């Protein structure tokens, strides 16, 4: 189970800010009265059979801040969290019903707090040991974090379902179950991320039964036990993948195994030294497994005791996209005609420039362009050489150049006079928070034997500060390809 600060952070992250409006010339009621509405609702929750304890936690701002009604003093209430502890001996259905009823009462209390848009309200349902900030051993086995005020009322159903499923998973062998619900209805079809539970077990042997239960419940679940981790990324578990995970964790010398569902990747850390028989046996075992997923073949990575890495494909099922291939023309253009008599392009016959930089989801994309200025066709068949330099002209250290895509290799491209080829680039965004030495120029060797060309990458569609290709970056570079 995640540490207590993370549990509280989950609840805070799911807090629903109470937005309301009151006339501009009307002063807001006392904030103590606002909190009293939830205290009254909490008293009603305490009367429910199956509720062991209810606590109302208030948080005040640490410093005076500007709010909708002027500056708020340091003692001003900023948030209220209601913690509802359920009887852990309840049946799953009864626990869900009680949690849903309790949440409705809290929703009613929160609805009477209109006008307090500076006060955030959240609810948390848990079962098991009483929560304690002072004892690492005092941890509830069930934690469901949710906003206390559902705008459409559907969040109450989400709370009830999540609590019921948590009790069901507990009965199937879970050590802990935690779920953070957002403002949607928390169902798999409508909002899979909101429905995902984090489930821990005491032994990898328990994970298969938990996966089967999660499938029956249609509940997205990440599963974890000592030495084994299944990262669901909001998906209902693949039971066959969990079986493979558990079997891999039981192999000789294996320390840790992680199945990454989104990446379709199995990551294994072994305590064996390079060349050990157990490592060779592990690779043979992985490639002999009869395993297939609905999305794509499953890759694996094995790290030995010195963290040396070897890779492969479970069942030996390497995807066709990883077979050797060249890149198609960008933009879907028809390929230029091949001219076997065309000479190789040289540095003097190519005019090299840098393309516009795009970014999405933490990834940067750029390209190097080369225009044929020879007066006739010429051919290229290579990956350009690149050196990334900072503002002082120094090469960035420890840059790793990788293939643009698995299996991609250069193909011969005959470039008509006046046309251009491009070499695509990809890299992960790197932090520039502390004003590091960004890349301001890129040295390009277009073809073997050509003189390097230094390109300024702070103008014409590139960031004025340069590229966030810093020391230690990994850059994926493709071969020269028809640009369109």
């Amino acid at each position: 189970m995640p540490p207590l600060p993370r549990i509280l952070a989950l609840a805070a992250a799911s807090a629903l800010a109470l937005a309301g409006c009151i006339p501009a010339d009307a002063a807001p009621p006392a904030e103590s009265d606002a909190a009293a509405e939830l205290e009254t609702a909490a008293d009603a929750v305490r009367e429910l059979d199956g509720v062991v304890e209810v606590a109302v936690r208030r948080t005040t701002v640490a410093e005076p801040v500007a709010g909708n009604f002027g500056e708020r003093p340091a003692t001003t209430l900023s948030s209220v969290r209601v913690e509802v502890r359920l009887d852990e001996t309840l049946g799953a259905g009864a626990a869900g019903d009680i949690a849903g009823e309790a949440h409705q009462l809290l929703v009613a209390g929160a609805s009477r707090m209109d006008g307090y848009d500076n006060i955030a309200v959240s609810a948390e349902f848990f079962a098991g040991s009483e929560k304690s900030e002072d004892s690492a051993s005092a941890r509830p086995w069930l934690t469901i974090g949710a906003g206390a005020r559902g705008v459409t009322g559907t969040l109450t159903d989400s709370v009830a379902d999540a609590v019921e499923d948590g009790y069901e998973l507990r009965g199937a062998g879970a050590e802990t179950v935690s779920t953070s619900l957002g403002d949607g209805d928390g169902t798999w079809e409508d909002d899979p991320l909101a429905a995902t539970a984090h489930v821990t077990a005491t032994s990898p042997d328990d994970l298969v039964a938990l996966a089967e239960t999660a499938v029956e419940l249609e509940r997205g679940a990440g599963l974890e036990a000592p030495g084994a981790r299944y990262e669901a990324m909001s998906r209902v578990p693949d039971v066959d993948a969990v079986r493979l995970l558990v079997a891999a964790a039981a192999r000789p010398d294996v320390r840790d195994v992680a199945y990454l569902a989104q990446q379709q990747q199995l990551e294994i850390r072994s305590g064996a030294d390079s060349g050990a028989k157990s490592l060779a046996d592990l690779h043979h075992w992985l490639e002999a497994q009869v395993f297939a997923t609905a999305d794509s073949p499953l890759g694996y990575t094995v790290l030995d005791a010195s963290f040396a890495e070897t890779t492969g494909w479970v069942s030996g099922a390497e995807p066709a996209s990883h077979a050797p291939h060249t890149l198609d023309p960008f933009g879907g253009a028809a390929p230029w005609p091949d001219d076997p008599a065309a000479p190789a392009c040289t540095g003097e016959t190519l005019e090299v420039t840098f393309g516009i930089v795009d970014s999405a989801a933490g990834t940067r994309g750029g390209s190097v362009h080369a225009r044929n200025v020879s007066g006739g066709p010429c051919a290229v068949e290579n990956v350009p050489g690149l050196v990334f330099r900072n503002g002082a002209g120094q090469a960035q250290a420890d840059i790793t150049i990788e293939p643009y895509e698995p299996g991609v290799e250069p193909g011969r491209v005959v470039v008509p006079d006046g046309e251009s080829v491009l070499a695509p680039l990809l890299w992960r965004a790197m932090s520039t928070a502390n004003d590091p030495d960004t890349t301001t120029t890129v040295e390009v060797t277009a073809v073997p034997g050509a003189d390097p060309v230094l390109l300024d990458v702070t103008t014409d569609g590139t960031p004025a500060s340069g590229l966030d290709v810093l020391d230690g970056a990994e850059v994926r570079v493709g071969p020269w390809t028809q640009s369109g």
Side-chain angles (χ1 to χ4, degrees):
M1 181 170 187
L4 186 60
R6 181 170 179 268
I7 292 172
L8 300 185
L10 288 174
S14 64
L16 179 62
L18 300 179
C21 11
I22 62 176
D25 57 352
E31 289 176 337
S32 59
D33 294 339
E37 296 291 352
L38 273 181
E39 292 279 7
T40 300
D43 286 338
V45 172
R46 291 185 179 98
E47 298 300 317
L48 297 176
D49 290 337
V51 172
V52 176
E53 180 185 13
V54 180
V56 180
R57 313 289 188 189
R58 305 187 189 195
T59 302
T60 57
V61 295
E63 299 176 356
V65 295
N68 289 354
F69 310 114
E71 185 173 79
R72 309 175 70 217
T75 58
T76 302
L77 185 68
S78 64
S79 68
V80 182
R81 185 178 73 252
V82 183
E83 298 173 354
V84 180
R85 182 181 172 196
L86 302 172
D87 183 348
E88 63 180 319
T89 66
L90 292 168
D97 290 343
I98 293 167
E101 188 175 354
H103 190 266
Q104 282 185 320
L105 291 170
L106 297 178
V107 167
S111 69
R112 295 190 292 270
M113 295 174 63
D114 284 342
Y116 297 93
D117 56 339
N118 282 326
I119 305 176
V121 178
S122 64
E124 188 173 81
F125 297 82
F126 65 100
S129 301
E130 183 177 356
K131 295 170 67 173
S132 172
E133 304 248 356
D134 301 324
S135 174
S137 62
R139 294 287 184 268
W141 61 260
L142 174 74
T143 308
I144 309 294
R149 182 187 182 193
V151 176
T152 63
T154 57
L155 191 57
T156 291
D157 294 335
S158 302
V159 169
D161 289 344
V163 169
E164 180 175 350
D165 289 355
Y167 273 72
E168 292 282 7
L169 288 163
R170 171 73 164 179
E175 181 183 29
T176 64
V177 181
S178 61
T179 307
S180 177
L181 298 173
D183 300 333
D185 66 10
T187 62
W188 167 248
E189 295 83 359
D190 186 70
D191 189 358
L193 187 59
T196 301
H198 179 74
V199 184
T200 69
T202 56
S203 168
D205 294 336
D206 298 325
L207 296 184
V208 174
L210 290 170
E212 292 173 338
T213 302
V215 171
E216 292 173 3
L217 298 172
E218 298 184 353
R219 173 69 59 179
L223 309 172
E224 187 171 358
R229 186 174 81 256
Y230 181 95
E231 291 191 4
M233 291 301 292
S234 78
R235 303 179 185 184
V236 171
D238 180 330
V239 177
D240 287 338
V242 176
R243 286 196 182 97
L244 178 69
L245 170 75
V246 172
R251 297 292 301 177
D253 293 327
V254 168
R255 301 281 181 82
D256 295 290
V257 184
Y259 182 97
L260 311 180
Q262 186 176 46
Q263 295 92 334
Q264 286 298 108
Q265 182 76 13
L266 191 67
E267 296 188 347
I268 303 174
R269 185 169 68 89
S270 172
D273 293 329
S274 177
K277 184 178 183 299
S278 63
L279 281 177
D281 290 346
L282 177 60
H283 284 281
H284 292 317
W285 179 82
L286 288 165
E287 293 177 0
Q289 296 306 295
V290 179
F291 179 82
T293 63
D295 298 325
S296 64
L298 178 67
Y300 70 79
T301 299
V302 176
L303 298 176
D304 64 20
S306 63
F307 296 96
E309 177 182 300
T310 53
T311 61
W313 298 92
V314 175
S315 306
E318 181 176 1
S321 61
H322 285 62
H325 65 283
T326 60
L327 292 177
D328 293 330
F330 279 82
W336 295 320
D338 186 23
D339 181 358
C345 300
T346 66
E348 291 76 14
T349 61
L350 294 173
E351 182 181 78
V352 182
T353 56
F354 198 86
I356 293 174
V357 174
D358 292 322
S359 62
T363 301
R364 304 282 192 256
S367 54
V368 179
H369 296 249
R371 188 168 71 93
N372 179 9
V373 294
S374 67
C378 67
V380 292
E381 188 176 1
N382 67 287
V383 178
L386 304 179
V387 177
F388 298 87
R389 299 188 178 277
N390 61 24
Q394 299 169 331
Q396 303 284 18
D398 300 323
I399 300 293
T400 302
I401 302 296
E402 296 285 354
Y404 183 70
E405 293 176 356
V408 71
E409 59 184 22
R412 188 172 188 269
V413 181
V414 176
V415 191
D417 182 45
E419 297 288 355
S420 296
V421 287
L422 67 81
L425 281 66
L426 283 176
W427 67 94
R428 297 292 298 174
M430 302 183 75
S431 175
T432 57
N434 295 321
D435 196 24
D437 289 332
T438 58
T439 292
T440 58
T441 57
V442 176
E443 182 182 289
V444 181
T445 302
V447 292
D451 292 334
V453 177
L454 200 62
L455 302 179
D456 185 347
V457 292
T458 63
T459 59
D460 299 331
T462 58
S465 59
L467 310 181
D468 54 352
V469 178
L470 312 177
D471 291 349
E474 177 183 288
V475 183
R476 298 185 176 273
V477 183
W480 289 122
T481 306
Q482 182 179 328
S483 62

